[in-house]
Amino acid sequence: MKRLLFLLLACLPSLTALAQAEQSIWYFGNQAGLSFSTGQPVPLLDGKMNTYEGSAVATNAQGQLLFYTNGVSVWNRQHKLMPNGRHLMGDASSTQSAVIVPDPGSGNVFYIFTTDLQGRSNGLRYSVVDMTRDNGFGDVPRANMLLITPVAEKLAAVRHANGRDVWVVAHRWNSNAFVSYLVTAEGVAGMPVMSNVGSMHAGPGRNAIGCIKFSPDGSKLAAALWRESNKFELFDFDRTTGVISNPQQFGPYEEAYGVEFSPDGSKLYGTSNGAGGGDATITQFDLRTGKAERVGKSANRKVGTLQLGPDGKIYVAREDNPYLGVIQNPNAPGAACNYVDDGFNLGAKRSKLGLPNFIR
């Protein structure tokens, strides 16, 4: 029995690595990229995408690249545009311009969900990628199917409680309503679950800027509200029903932009830049004690998206910079989380404000 227990424990790291393989390749910014295939990140220099903010990447279960997008164009694993992979109706300057969801009923079909810039009329749409087309390099047989308009630049996805289906969540513009669309083997639900909760997302179009992000266990949803709203919000999420509830607010934080949770879900991190930039700050919110503390100050004028990596560290986009910031120990309280501004060298490529958007 002891030998069996030892073998099971020895297998845990490899099982964890396998579960994280689908998020092991990142493309973002000015042709920048990362690979976590060996456990530690290494820069990728072969990306062809330029995007100021949002991007998304699809891999197979083994972590091999399939395609990537900025919400407008779709590149295959040869870094070539798919034959019909142009003119998606997201925007490369939408905070979360895209997220990719595999069809729960097929290993070859994927949905690309997109959001438009600053609450404009293209709204929330989805396109279909079929990997059996173009000799296995993929194509887009259906594009830009409208779900709802207008929406903010916020987009996130999380597994349903059944472990198979996926919720895709966005936020209506000029409204306080989150919309949760369920993706099943039958396709994308035509009608969302709507949750009228939290702040209005309204006003000048720039107020649509800012991320939403699920906690690692999917039970919480955080949002950054930019400019006039200047705050972060936290909600409960029901992975069975898609309902969002129990709002909490943290603020003011001028030009709040990115949000991310620690791997254990005990800490929430947010980026903010001050009015017009120049005060690029990372704040930690301890969800157990209620304490808020500034844990990082970037030399950059602006910082953007926060993204938890397969290595358990949180990476921070720095506008037009060859380095990402890195929160080395995100489960640790306060300064012990160890934010390093020049944390990871992108190998002569540059980040902008975005990092890839993945399913939780």
Side-chain angles (χ1 to χ4, degrees):
M1 179 63 71
K2 288 182 179 179
R3 178 176 172 79
L4 177 61
L5 180 60
F6 173 80
L7 289 172
L8 288 171
L9 290 172
C11 287
L12 281 177
S14 61
L15 291 173
T16 301
L18 181 62
Q20 293 171 338
E22 293 180 352
Q23 300 183 11
S24 64
I25 295 178
W26 298 10
Y27 288 104
F28 55 94
N30 188 2
Q31 300 183 2
L34 297 179
S35 171
F36 292 88
S37 61
T38 63
Q40 298 301 313
V42 295
L44 293 174
L45 308 178
D46 54 1
K48 300 301 182 186
M49 176 175 63
N50 284 297
T51 180
Y52 186 61
E53 295 182 77
S55 69
V57 183
T59 67
N60 61 21
Q62 291 73 45
Q64 298 166 324
L65 178 66
L66 296 177
F67 62 93
Y68 54 100
T69 182
N70 57 5
V72 180
S73 301
V74 187
W75 289 264
N76 65 23
R77 65 180 180 272
Q78 293 183 314
H79 308 285
K80 297 178 180 178
L81 285 170
M82 287 187 180
N84 294 292
R86 297 173 172 84
H87 309 303
L88 272 60
M89 296 172 76
D91 194 288
S93 192
S94 173
T95 309
Q96 292 173 298
S97 61
V99 69
I100 298 167
V101 175
D103 183 335
S106 169
N108 297 311
V109 175
F110 295 79
Y111 300 104
I112 302 175
F113 292 83
T114 58
T115 58
D116 198 6
L117 173 73
Q118 295 193 6
R120 295 179 183 173
S121 61
N122 283 341
L124 174 66
R125 296 175 183 261
Y126 72 95
S127 300
V128 178
V129 174
D130 186 341
M131 292 304 301
T132 67
R133 299 190 176 217
D134 192 30
N135 299 310
F137 292 105
D139 198 3
V140 185
R142 292 187 294 155
N144 298 320
M145 287 166 283
L146 179 64
L147 290 171
I148 195 168
T149 188
V151 296
E153 297 181 7
K154 295 170 166 60
L155 187 60
V158 68
R159 296 284 177 186
H160 187 280
N162 63 22
R164 178 187 65 250
D165 302 329
V166 177
W167 291 105
V168 175
V169 176
H171 199 286
R172 294 195 69 178
W173 184 236
N174 292 321
S175 171
N176 74 334
F178 285 96
V179 288
S180 303
Y181 287 89
L182 187 61
V183 182
T184 70
E186 285 70 48
V188 180
M191 294 295 293
V193 175
M194 195 168 295
S195 301
N196 293 92
V197 63
S199 297
M200 288 283 292
H201 293 213
R206 61 179 180 263
N207 287 1
I209 294 170
C211 296
I212 57 174
K213 190 70 68 73
F214 283 101
S215 60
D217 67 359
S219 68
K220 300 286 185 181
L221 178 69
L225 283 78
W226 198 79
R227 227 5 120 78
E228 278 80 355
S229 294
N230 286 330
K231 61 187 168 187
F232 301 101
E233 291 190 326
L234 180 67
F235 306 87
D236 292 335
F237 184 77
D238 189 320
R239 293 172 58 223
T240 299
T241 65
V243 171
I244 296 163
S245 61
N246 192 27
Q248 302 176 59
Q249 296 187 2
F250 309 97
Y253 293 92
E254 287 188 307
E255 294 200 11
Y257 188 97
V259 283
E260 182 57 287
F261 291 87
S262 60
D264 67 0
S266 70
K267 313 293 188 300
L268 172 65
Y269 291 87
T271 57
S272 56
N273 288 306
D279 186 22
T281 299
I282 297 93
T283 303
Q284 181 194 82
F285 304 94
D286 191 317
L287 303 182
R288 293 171 179 169
T289 67
K291 183 179 180 180
E293 182 175 349
R294 186 170 81 171
V295 294
K297 179 74 169 68
S298 180
N300 239 56
R301 182 171 172 272
K302 287 187 178 182
V303 289
T305 301
L306 297 151
Q307 179 62 43
L308 179 62
D311 59 354
K313 300 177 182 180
I314 293 176
Y315 293 81
V316 183
R318 302 170 67 200
E319 184 184 37
D320 199 31
N321 200 290
Y323 284 86
L324 297 178
V326 182
I327 302 171
Q328 301 280 350
N329 305 301
N331 290 332
C337 74
N338 189 18
Y339 173 72
V340 180
D341 202 30
D342 287 346
F344 183 84
N345 189 324
L346 293 170
K349 304 295 185 178
R350 288 180 176 267
S351 78
K352 294 295 186 180
L353 287 178
L355 292 171
N357 199 358
F358 294 108
I359 298 174
R360 278 289 153 85

